């Protein structure tokens, strides 16, 4: 074969290869978008359907569909940003992401679902999360694997580097008809397998594996990370009166703020933070809010045009 013929053949192969890659990529994105559309519809049903069994059936189909979507090569790169019913948060180093969501039960309690997806650059590697919350009597004192997860819907991941690097998670945790929870948790990897919780939170004479806040459902609680301060800041919660000091479902913010300050890889509790000295930059933006499913259902129904 002459040099000219060789170059011509090489050019044709290059064009065919480029077309095949483009076609494969196009097909991949098309399939992922189709799955995303199906997941969005199921997600609305999980949130809005008033029938308990229908919500749970929709969630079952949602899980099956999500797994099929994630099996597509390089699905880690697909943002699924049209899914409003779940939280998808990437670690800042893009090593992994956590997909988490909740289903409300008939009695007003919540069950959480999720998975940790590892960025492999190709084939799917993930660790499904099994909500073990109802059986965890002392969640602040337990290190668990993905099968005994203290379920939550996460909105922030912060890396902490050191001899044993880990990531801090901030999460919302719907609880009962009376109370809501928020969580400061930790995820680390032991031989590539995720673990939740780590004894790195010091304060009030105790070391905690995670920090759990509980407060009245009708109020809101600030829980935010301020990177320029290496500080997790949160509302100080207190009872409305002396008779309710052992009833966290009555607690609410009292207009003071506490926090955890990062020092040498551990978090030290600090009281009575002066919020006037806290930067008002991007980090002070409002935390992601999770809408009560019943309230969201009412809003969605109000958007449906009525027939005259």
């Amino acid at each position: 074969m002459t040099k000219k013929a060789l170059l011509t053949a090489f050019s044709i192969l290059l064009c065919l290869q480029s077309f095949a890659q483009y076609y494969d990529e196009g097909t991949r994105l098309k399939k992922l978008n189709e799955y995303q559309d199906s997941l969005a519809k199921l997600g609305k049903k999980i949130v809005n359907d008033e029938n308990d069994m229908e919500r749970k059936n929709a969630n079952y189909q949602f899980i099956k569909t999500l797994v099929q979507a994630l099996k597509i090569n390089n699905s880690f790169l697909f943002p699924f940003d049209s899914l409003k019913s779940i939280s998808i948060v990437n670690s800042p180093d893009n090593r992994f992401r956590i997909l988490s969501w909740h289903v409300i039960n008939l009695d007003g309690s919540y069950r959480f679902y999720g998975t940790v997806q590892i960025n492999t650059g190709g084939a799917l590697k993930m660790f499904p999360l099994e909500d073990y919350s109802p059986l965890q009597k002392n969640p602040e004192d337990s290190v668990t694997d993905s099968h005994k997860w203290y379920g939550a819907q996460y909105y922030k991941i912060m890396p902490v580097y050191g001899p044993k690097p880990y990531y801090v998670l901030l999460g919302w945790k719907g609880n009962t008809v009376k109370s809501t929870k928020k969580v400061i948790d930790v995820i680390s990897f032991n031989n590539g397998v995720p673990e939740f919780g780590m004894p790195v939170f010091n304060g009030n004479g105790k070391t905690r594996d995670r920090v759990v806040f509980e407060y009245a459902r009708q109020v809101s609680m600030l829980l935010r990370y301020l990177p320029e301060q290496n500080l997790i800041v949160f509302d100080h919660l207190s009872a409305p009166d002396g008779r309710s000091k052992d009833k966290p479902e009555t607690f609410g913010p009292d207009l003071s703020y506490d926090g955890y300050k990062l020092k040498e890889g551990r978090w030290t509790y600090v009281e009575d933070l002066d919020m006037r000295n806290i930067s008002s930059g991007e980090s002070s933006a409002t935390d992601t809010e999770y809408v009560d499913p019943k309230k969201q259902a009412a809003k969605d129904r109000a958007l449906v045009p009525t027939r005259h």
Side-chain angles (χ1 to χ4, degrees):
M1 182 180 289
T2 66
K3 184 176 181 180
K4 183 177 180 180
L6 182 62
L7 287 172
T8 301
F10 180 77
S11 298
I12 293 172
L13 285 172
L14 183 61
C15 290
L16 288 173
Q17 185 182 27
S18 298
F19 176 79
Q21 287 176 339
Y22 174 80
Y23 178 79
D24 288 343
E25 179 67 6
T27 302
R28 187 181 76 88
L29 291 175
K30 181 181 178 182
K31 290 293 294 181
L32 284 167
N33 276 298
E34 288 173 352
Y35 279 126
Q36 179 173 233
D37 290 344
S38 298
L39 289 166
K41 292 176 183 177
L42 289 167
K44 288 182 179 179
K45 195 172 183 65
I46 292 170
V47 172
N48 295 337
D49 202 299
E50 294 185 340
N51 184 286
D52 182 65
M53 188 57 66
E54 289 297 322
R55 288 196 303 274
K56 290 175 180 175
N57 286 339
N59 186 57
Y60 175 72
Q61 292 299 323
F62 185 95
I63 293 171
K64 287 178 60 178
T65 305
L66 179 62
V67 171
Q68 291 302 313
L70 295 181
K71 283 182 178 179
I72 294 177
N73 205 44
N74 277 329
S75 65
F76 186 91
L77 302 178
F78 192 77
F80 292 100
D81 48 9
S82 292
L83 296 186
K84 305 304 181 184
S85 60
I86 73 172
S87 298
I88 303 176
V89 189
N90 286 48
S91 63
D93 57 10
N94 231 28
R95 179 183 178 186
F96 67 95
R97 65 179 177 179
I98 302 179
L99 299 84
S100 55
W101 68 96
H102 66 270
V103 178
I104 191 167
N105 296 316
L106 192 60
D107 62 358
S109 63
Y110 292 75
R111 183 173 180 84
F112 288 82
Y113 297 83
T115 190
V116 178
Q117 184 182 12
I118 307 300
N119 185 2
T120 65
L124 174 63
K125 182 179 181 180
M126 70 174 186
F127 298 89
L129 302 175
E130 301 173 33
D131 190 358
Y132 199 70
S133 304
L135 300 177
Q136 287 184 328
K137 302 304 180 185
N138 299 295
E140 293 190 327
D141 301 325
S142 59
V143 176
T144 67
D145 59 19
S146 60
H147 302 292
K148 293 186 176 181
W149 174 51
Y150 190 66
Q153 195 160 339
Y154 300 119
Y155 56 88
K156 189 71 175 179
I157 299 177
M158 306 97 71
V160 178
Y161 300 108
K164 184 178 181 181
Y166 63 90
Y167 303 81
V168 173
L169 310 173
L170 301 184
W172 174 91
K173 185 174 178 63
N175 189 38
T176 68
V177 293
K178 293 183 178 181
S179 74
T180 300
K181 294 181 178 181
K182 281 194 173 181
V183 183
I184 309 174
D185 209 336
V186 167
I187 183 172
S188 59
F189 292 87
N190 185 8
N191 295 322
V193 178
E195 290 183 343
F196 291 89
M198 185 180 286
V200 293
F201 300 101
N202 300 327
N204 295 326
K206 182 179 179 180
T207 298
R208 293 171 170 81
D209 294 309
R210 68 178 53 79
V211 183
V212 181
F213 306 92
E214 185 174 2
Y215 52 96
R217 182 167 174 167
Q218 65 268 27
V219 304
S220 298
M221 178 198 168
L222 172 76
L223 176 61
R224 180 183 303 155
Y225 175 57
L226 304 176
E228 65 276 9
Q229 307 276 344
N230 280 331
L231 179 70
I232 300 170
V233 63
F234 47 86
D235 279 307
H236 184 271
L237 302 172
S238 60
D241 53 56
R243 293 173 299 176
S244 303
K245 62 181 181 179
D246 296 322
K247 298 178 180 178
E249 68 273 12
T250 68
F251 289 9
D254 62 6
L255 303 182
S256 65
Y257 301 91
D258 301 329
Y260 279 97
K261 181 80 171 178
L262 182 62
K263 296 180 180 179
E264 298 180 350
R266 302 177 68 85
W267 298 86
T268 301
Y269 180 71
V270 288
E271 294 182 281
D272 295 325
L273 292 170
D274 185 353
M275 292 297 286
R276 293 174 299 178
N277 295 327
I278 301 299
S279 168
S280 59
E282 180 183 352
S283 60
S284 64
T286 303
D287 287 340
T288 302
E289 293 292 337
Y290 298 99
V291 178
D292 185 301
K294 291 184 178 179
K295 293 180 181 178
Q296 185 62 49
K299 289 181 181 179
D300 289 349
R301 284 195 298 271
L303 294 175
V304 178
T306 55
R307 294 183 179 180
H308 297 286

